[in-house]
Amino acid sequence: MMEELEVIDPQEQFQEFFKTEKYRQRISQMAVTGKTSLTVEFEALLAFDRELAEEIPESPEEYLKHANNAAYAQLQIEDPEYADKIERVTVRVVRLLEAALLRKLGSAHIGKLVMIEGIVVRSTPVRPMVMQAAFRCKRCGTTTYVKQTGPFLRAPFVCSDPSCRRKGPFDFIQEESTFIDSQELRVQERPEDLPPGQLPRALNVKLLESEIVDVARPGDHVSVVGIVRAVAPTLPRVGKLRAFNLHLDTNSIEVLGKEPETALPSPEEEEKILELAKDPWVHRKIINSIAPSIYGYNHIKEAITYLLFGGVPKPLPDITIRGEMNVLLIGDPGTAKSQLLQYVARIAPRGLYTSGRGTTAAGLTAAVLRERHGGMTLEAGALVLADKGIACIDEMDKMRPEDRVAIHEAMEQHTVSVAKGGIVATLNARTAILAAANPALGRYEPHRTVAENISLPVTILSRFDLIFVLRDVPEKEADRKMSEHILEIHRKGVSPVEPPIPMELLRKYVSYAKGIKPVLTDEALKRLRDFYLAMRSASETEGSPIAITARQLESLVRTAEARARAALRKEILAEDAEAAVAIMNRSLEEVGIDVSSSKIDIDIIMTGKPKSLRDKLQTVLSTIMEMEKETGMVEKIALLDELDAKYKISPVEADRLIGQLLREGTIYSPREGYLKKT
Ligand SMILES: Nc1ncnc2c1ncn2[C@@H]1O[C@H](COP(=O)(O)OP(=O)(O)OP(=O)(O)O)[C@@H](O)[C@H]1O
Ligand SMILES: [Mg+2]
Ligand SMILES: [Zn+2]
């Protein structure tokens, strides 16, 4: 007696699944949205029929075809009219149980359906791709249709007319061919998934059909489900290579929320976090936990603390005010700038360390690149990849000329706009920046202005909320303590200072705090307003060196917000405002003392010169122009005399001013000892 075998038809099983309430509804809605695809949550299918679901990743080609057919059959029941119109349905599976690690993809995965999560670093524009090409025979005029698969357009082998059968030549007939939208993305491992010290890996992802192209832009975090393919690269005249390249043929793509991993803290961790927040010395503790192996720099570590927590962005109906802070460290060689940056990149929830040149062709902002086969791709730079995180930019003064232009927009508006090679896009770059740069003259010259000391334009400098100078000056007591500290590290191989808060807890604490949106109390607001108005009015009375601008006021608010967040407070108290004012003062002092009047003067940052200096430069220039009228060019000795006699500018100072005008190119020296305005 033979046992009756139940023949299982996968298509019928799928259709059973599509008859469940949720999917029936989705299918009957397809006509309304005009879609031809049906999204299926893998987990739902798994719950419905485990065995069937598990076949999909294993034999995706076959099982997705069954699923498509089943969905179409069900559509014929739900909405026969629409079914007739669209002719087929594509099932798109989303949210597999587990994401495959990009760096682990290999030959074992070829032909399998996997899900990868990563960040889009590159995208091509959407291009029509021919699926079925029509060719007209030049001899007999018959049209032959050829299904297209590979990367190159294939003509028919012979004419399809039985009485012709000749090998062409053929004309490609565009109007009779069928096209489908296509796009290629490059998806890279997220910075947070990267093993320490490793370069990120990336995978090409191919998208076909209008419903999945143009869904994601560079900088977006995506989850892609697709079939792993291996294709041999072809070398011209040589043939195909034996080592294949992997790519993904996309079945579905979803743009993920852009918030960095907010892995909820465990109850014990949350308890620790809340307890820490209650500590009256919480700020001090956090500051002391920042890079404890680096000696000193307490004010810089304080600024880094505020940078980590960040202020609250204000998306107003008309404009958006950034919440993220930008901090710049200008410093002599060997003053631990790179070390600080690398530390921050490690601890920040979405930290990224890069040099000014960037690690890719896209540099800091973005670039339009020409591909090997002639097409254009848009590639995201560091600031776009660090969207919603912190970009630590070392050697910022050495950034690419294109970035120098584009970074203005990135730093204030938090977007990167690109319009080149047919690609027009605006990418998000809501990134806090911690930047480092070396002085232009090798060492920081305290008698020169910040702008003179660094080869960055003042328009970029003024976009930093806080700027600090790290100078390497021999100083007995400090040198002794620091050398002890460093030698201790080398002797023991461990930090002599244990951080009060372990790094792992601090990172969780920062993530946790980011959820808080503190608001200004009346006292805090009054404190900030008073400081701002006092600085402004000081400028008014004394022949107006402009001490502070609206930009600094916004920086103060951000700093105060960050400080409140660091204590997990929803209210910004007077003490937060005080601390913001204090650190702002410190930063202004470091970069902005008007050497000649000892007044804080934001003009140094904004224009590169203190007001008094600008006045003096103007005086020198007008004197030169005055004297030129008489002599054509001006003898330097005569100029020095004139300036001393008329304006009490000493020859030493005048010499320096002249030097600066020469460097700026406002004047030049037509002949040794003579000067002339350009
Ligand atoms: N204050 C400090 N405490 C501990 N170590 C320090 C300190 N200052 C410098 N060092 C040590 O000096 C070395 C050089 O530091 P780093 O490479 O970060 O300097 P840098 O400021 O980036 O210099 P450059 O401008 O040349 O790039 C590092 O090993 C660092 O640990
Ligand atoms: Mg360095
Ligand atoms: Zn023919």
Side-chain angles (χ1 to χ4, degrees):
M1 202 178 86
M2 266 177 63
E3 222 179 302
E4 217 178 334
L5 262 177
E6 200 193 345
V7 183
I8 313 167
D9 178 0
Q11 181 178 330
E12 270 172 30
Q13 287 177 296
F14 274 119
Q15 199 167 346
E16 285 307 310
F17 175 62
F18 292 139
K19 283 191 172 128
T20 56
E21 189 52 34
K22 186 169 160 194
Y23 288 92
R24 265 191 60 197
Q25 246 183 27
R26 263 191 214 174
I27 289 171
S28 54
Q29 288 290 309
M30 282 174 67
V32 181
T33 49
K35 285 197 167 161
T36 60
S37 57
L38 175 70
T39 303
V40 170
E41 287 79 10
F42 187 72
E43 231 168 294
L45 183 60
L46 202 67
F48 181 81
D49 185 337
R50 180 159 210 107
E51 275 169 42
L52 183 66
E54 282 171 350
E55 290 293 348
I56 294 184
E58 281 307 309
S59 324
E61 204 92 54
E62 186 190 341
Y63 277 79
L64 285 175
K65 203 172 284 164
H66 290 312
N68 291 347
N69 292 340
Y72 187 71
Q74 190 58 30
L75 180 67
Q76 281 175 314
I77 298 171
E78 302 291 335
D79 190 343
E81 212 175 301
Y82 189 60
D84 274 352
K85 198 171 143 214
I86 63 171
E87 293 177 341
R88 70 195 166 83
V89 171
T90 310
V91 168
R92 302 200 185 281
V93 182
V94 297
R95 273 161 262 160
L96 302 192
L97 289 189
E98 223 181 346
L101 285 179
L102 243 165
R103 61 176 54 239
K104 294 270 164 69
L105 281 189
S107 42
H109 297 93
I110 294 172
K112 304 272 192 280
L113 189 84
V114 300
M115 176 169 85
I116 57 159
E117 288 178 354
I119 178 166
V120 178
V121 289
R122 232 187 252 175
S123 72
T124 65
V126 175
R127 290 183 286 219
M129 178 141 124
V130 61
M131 299 306 283
Q132 175 160 291
F135 288 92
R136 189 181 296 133
C137 175
K138 277 196 172 176
R139 312 261 177 155
C140 71
T142 308
T143 304
T144 306
Y145 295 93
V146 185
K147 271 224 159 69
Q148 300 290 324
T149 45
F152 302 105
L153 185 64
R154 264 189 316 122
F157 202 58
V158 292
C159 177
S160 60
D161 187 291
S163 58
C164 174
R165 299 301 270 159
R166 274 176 290 201
K167 291 194 171 178
F170 300 98
D171 278 331
F172 174 64
I173 313 296
Q174 191 180 320
E175 303 80 66
E176 288 177 38
S177 303
T178 41
F179 289 89
I180 167 168
D181 282 333
S182 77
Q183 189 181 30
E184 202 169 316
L185 304 178
R186 198 163 169 75
V187 175
Q188 184 175 297
E189 289 174 295
R190 287 176 294 197
E192 57 257 41
D193 293 343
L194 214 58
Q198 298 268 5
L199 283 177
R201 302 264 176 93
L203 186 71
N204 284 346
V205 167
K206 297 193 177 173
L207 307 166
L208 283 182
E209 286 195 62
S210 49
E211 276 163 29
I212 51 173
V213 301
D214 238 358
V215 169
R217 293 176 299 170
D220 281 345
H221 289 236
V222 290
S223 163
V224 185
V225 174
I227 302 176
V228 180
R229 304 278 188 209
V231 175
T234 330
L235 293 185
R237 278 192 292 272
V238 178
K240 290 186 185 295
L241 297 179
R242 245 183 88 204
F244 285 48
N245 286 335
L246 289 184
H247 75 260
L248 216 57
D249 274 344
T250 305
N251 173 251
S252 76
I253 179 167
E254 285 189 304
V255 176
L256 303 174
K258 301 265 300 208
E259 304 305 324
E261 25 104 60
T262 30
L264 286 178
S266 65
E268 304 88 73
E269 282 166 345
E270 185 164 12
E271 201 174 303
K272 274 191 200 157
I273 288 172
L274 294 176
E275 181 155 347
L276 183 58
K278 275 194 231 125
D279 191 323
W281 294 104
V282 59
H283 293 101
R284 189 75 0 239
K285 275 195 170 169
I286 295 171
I287 293 166
N288 289 342
S289 304
I290 305 275
S293 304
I294 294 170
Y295 176 84
Y297 299 138
N298 271 323
H299 59 297
I300 290 171
K301 291 180 179 179
E302 185 181 342
I304 287 175
T305 301
Y306 300 146
L307 182 92
L308 278 175
F309 287 92
V312 183
K314 316 269 166 29
L316 308 178
D318 47 348
I319 54 166
T320 298
I321 303 172
R322 67 179 160 97
E324 295 77 9
M325 295 179 61
N326 300 322
V327 175
L328 173 65
L329 310 177
I330 310 173
D332 293 342
T335 45
K337 299 182 298 299
S338 299
Q339 298 279 26
L340 278 168
L341 261 59
Q342 272 174 339
Y343 172 84
V344 172
R346 264 206 312 277
I347 190 157
R350 185 174 287 162
L352 187 144
Y353 175 89
T354 179
S355 91
R357 281 182 241 269
T359 38
T360 64
L364 297 179
T365 53
V368 172
L369 309 172
R370 189 170 287 282
E371 286 179 300
R372 247 182 313 146
H373 300 304
M376 295 298 214
T377 55
L378 173 61
E379 181 163 325
L383 291 180
V384 176
L385 298 183
D387 186 29
K388 297 241 167 176
I390 298 183
C392 299
I393 309 174
D394 211 345
E395 327 251 327
M396 191 186 191
D397 44 332
K398 295 175 191 78
M399 70 183 144
R400 307 177 311 157
E402 302 93 297
D403 282 336
R404 274 183 191 252
V405 179
I407 205 160
H408 289 88
E409 181 196 341
M411 288 181 75
E412 200 67 82
Q413 275 66 49
H414 275 181
T415 52
V416 171
S417 299
V418 182
K420 203 177 148 194
I423 294 180
V424 179
T426 298
L427 308 174
N428 283 320
R430 291 157 292 187
T431 313
I433 296 177
L434 176 62
N438 282 116
L441 305 156
R443 286 198 165 256
Y444 199 88
E445 301 272 352
H447 301 296
R448 295 175 192 262
T449 65
V450 189
E452 278 182 294
N453 262 302
I454 183 170
S455 35
L456 279 178
V458 285
T459 44
I460 292 179
L461 287 183
S462 67
R463 281 169 166 73
F464 283 99
D465 298 84
L466 298 168
I467 301 177
F468 297 100
V469 176
L470 294 83
R471 295 187 52 212
D472 185 13
V473 277
E475 198 184 312
K476 225 185 193 162
E477 187 53 22
D479 284 348
R480 190 181 57 76
K481 284 206 193 118
M482 166 125 110
S483 59
E484 258 167 35
H485 179 99
I486 292 180
L487 291 174
E488 191 73 355
I489 293 178
H490 282 268
R491 190 160 67 94
K492 290 207 186 124
V494 291
S495 177
V497 200
E498 191 65 22
I501 308 167
M503 193 156 151
E504 208 40 51
L505 179 62
L506 183 56
R507 185 188 288 124
K508 290 243 163 69
Y509 189 87
V510 172
S511 290
Y512 192 89
K514 288 261 184 186
I516 298 170
K517 295 194 168 56
V519 287
L520 284 164
T521 57
D522 289 344
E523 303 82 64
L525 188 132
K526 183 175 177 307
R527 186 69 192 83
L528 295 183
R529 188 187 53 209
D530 288 352
F531 172 74
Y532 182 69
L533 293 180
M535 296 288 275
R536 291 294 282 193
S537 66
S539 325
E540 251 170 50
T541 50
E542 320 223 344
S544 81
I546 302 157
I548 194 169
T549 72
R551 267 221 169 102
Q552 278 72 42
L553 184 57
E554 284 180 1
S555 299
L556 283 170
V557 175
R558 276 192 281 273
T559 312
E561 285 167 348
R563 192 175 182 281
R565 262 185 176 172
L568 304 186
R569 260 193 275 106
K570 291 195 182 70
E571 291 192 321
I572 302 166
L573 305 179
E575 60 169 89
D576 300 319
E578 303 276 349
V581 165
I583 191 125
M584 167 75 68
N585 259 332
R586 171 80 197 242
S587 168
L588 287 173
E589 255 171 44
E590 289 207 358
V591 300
I593 287 262
D594 176 343
V595 188
S596 21
S597 72
S598 300
K599 272 234 153 284
I600 288 174
D601 181 352
I602 204 70
D603 272 14
I604 294 180
I605 308 171
M606 306 301 256
T607 67
K609 298 159 193 128
K611 170 116 183 356
S612 56
L613 175 62
R614 258 186 319 152
D615 289 348
K616 280 182 189 155
L617 287 170
Q618 196 49 49
T619 308
V620 175
L621 197 60
S622 52
T623 310
I624 291 177
M625 284 158 73
E626 198 62 36
M627 289 169 73
E628 264 181 15
K629 279 189 202 145
E630 289 163 22
T631 54
M633 54 184 149
V634 182
E635 205 181 347
K636 192 171 168 189
I637 307 237
L639 177 66
L640 293 180
D641 283 345
E642 179 82 0
L643 288 171
D644 198 6
K646 240 193 185 153
Y647 302 101
K648 302 260 172 304
I649 299 180
S650 75
V652 176
E653 192 178 5
D655 196 53
R656 203 163 73 83
L657 296 168
I658 290 167
Q660 184 160 349
L661 289 172
L662 278 169
R663 267 199 309 281
E664 286 177 4
T666 326
I667 61 173
Y668 70 106
S669 174
R671 170 139 75 83
E672 182 71 40
Y674 286 85
L675 299 164
K676 196 164 163 56
K677 189 178 175 300
T678 34

